[in-house]
Amino acid sequence: MATTSPQSHFTRTPTCSVITDDDGRTTLSGNRLVTTAPTGQRTEQLRTDDEARTAYRTHFGIALDVLPK
């Protein structure tokens, strides 16, 4: 499935991802924050818009007034 397919989560949910200094990755997809490191993976469900905006700012350096839809 391509990233442009209507069935792809990339076309249905805002997704932001960055490689971290420890050769891991941090990804925010909708309200799910996934942190992957050589030692394992951790998934966190963000319950509020404030938590999501804080995650965008903390992990990606993006300050938002309103979350993307």
Side-chain angles (χ1 to χ4, degrees):
M1 194 167 14
T3 57
T4 58
S5 168
Q7 288 79 34
S8 171
H9 75 275
F10 292 110
T11 61
R12 293 183 287 142
T13 304
T15 301
C16 192
S17 190
V18 65
I19 295 173
T20 59
D21 291 337
D22 65 355
D23 294 325
R25 176 175 297 281
T26 300
T27 301
L28 181 56
S29 183
N31 66 343
R32 194 170 54 115
L33 180 66
V34 180
T35 305
T36 306
T39 57
Q41 180 174 309
R42 179 174 161 251
T43 301
E44 180 182 348
Q45 290 296 123
L46 304 177
R47 288 173 259 159
T48 67
D49 287 357
D50 284 340
E51 288 179 346
R53 284 194 300 272
T54 297
Y56 274 108
R57 187 175 54 255
T58 302
H59 298 285
F60 308 102
I62 301 170
L64 298 172
D65 293 326
V66 179
L67 293 175
K69 299 293 178 195

